[in-house]
Amino acid sequence: RPLVVMNAVSKTFSSGTLALSDMSLTVNGGEFVSLLGPSGCGKSTALRIIAGLGDVTKGTIDWPSSRINSRGLPEGDISFVFQEPTLMPWQTVFGNVYLPLKLRGISKAAARDDIMEALTTVGLKDFAEAYPRELSGGMKMRVSIARALVTKPKLLLMDEPFAALDEITRQKLNDDVLRLWKETGITVIFVTHSVFESAYLSSRIVVMKARPGRVHADFPLKTSLERD
Ligand code: ADP
Ligand code: ADP
């Protein structure tokens, strides 16, 4: 079933840059889609638009199977993971993962189980009381993923999340995200410029090209988990 549909979306920035031109894309529930393409082809712009972090110039974003809130977004259903983990240094790991629930007015006591479940999913349940400065880059990224998962989103958007990490850490996190996708049935859209990463992770690769940004090729495949 279609979860999100980009209908002939164009995006022109105030600078005059045409970042996306008539881009159409349907992502179905349960897919792991990599948005692959060279730097500047509009991957981040497409992801941000899906997340509601920027208006479209032309076209529409539709959520055929979700209840829509007043901001035109599906109710509580999207989480975003950026390349920078952007943790609050003065808060513990627990406090950082609590934030999205706190913003929804949920008390710490009521949030505790969900926070610990998210931390367990990323292998950090023993680090709830640690501070970000005590963690490695890979662990900080895991906290950031736990924070994204704590609201139990239907859709997880990741914008080159592991690009700044070393190769081994990156590979471990790729395996974790894949396992997470398999176990939870979450839909993932994963922006990358790595052909290897997209081939390793995705159940579908959507290749974009630049000038103007749009879908160039779109093909299904088996994730490395399913190939085993
Ligand atoms: P990618 O994620 O594929 O590297 P982006 O979506 O970041 O590509 O950028 C697509 C194009 O839009 C590029 O030419 C970029 O310079 C331009 N662009 C991105 N964000 C902005 C912005 N806020 N203002 C103006 N131009 C932008
Ligand atoms: P990650 O494994 O999160 O990608 P690193 O490989 O950089 O991060 O790990 C840095 C240090 O932190 C290593 O000594 C590793 O053993 C330790 N570490 C990472 N994750 C955990 C964990 N879940 N439990 C215990 N120690 C961990």
Side-chain angles (χ1 to χ4, degrees), residues 124-168:
L124 287 180
K125 72 170 177 343
D126 297 335
F127 290 81
E129 297 313 316
Y131 284 87
R133 64 172 176 277
E134 305 172 66
L135 305 180
S136 68
M139 291 162 88
K140 284 191 192 114
M141 181 49 75
R142 288 168 200 276
V143 176
S144 169
I145 294 171
R147 184 180 52 193
L149 293 176
V150 77
T151 55
K152 303 191 192 299
K154 228 190 264 173
L155 176 61
L156 181 61
L157 304 174
M158 305 182 91
D159 192 356
E160 304 215 32
F162 311 142
L165 301 172
D166 67 83
E167 202 56 43
I168 290 172

Side-chain angles (χ1 to χ4, degrees), residues 13-15 17-19 37-46 159-160 191:
F13 286 105
S14 48
S15 61
T17 303
L18 177 63
S39 190
C41 71
K43 304 183 295 294
S44 296
T45 302
D159 192 356
E160 304 215 32
V191 163

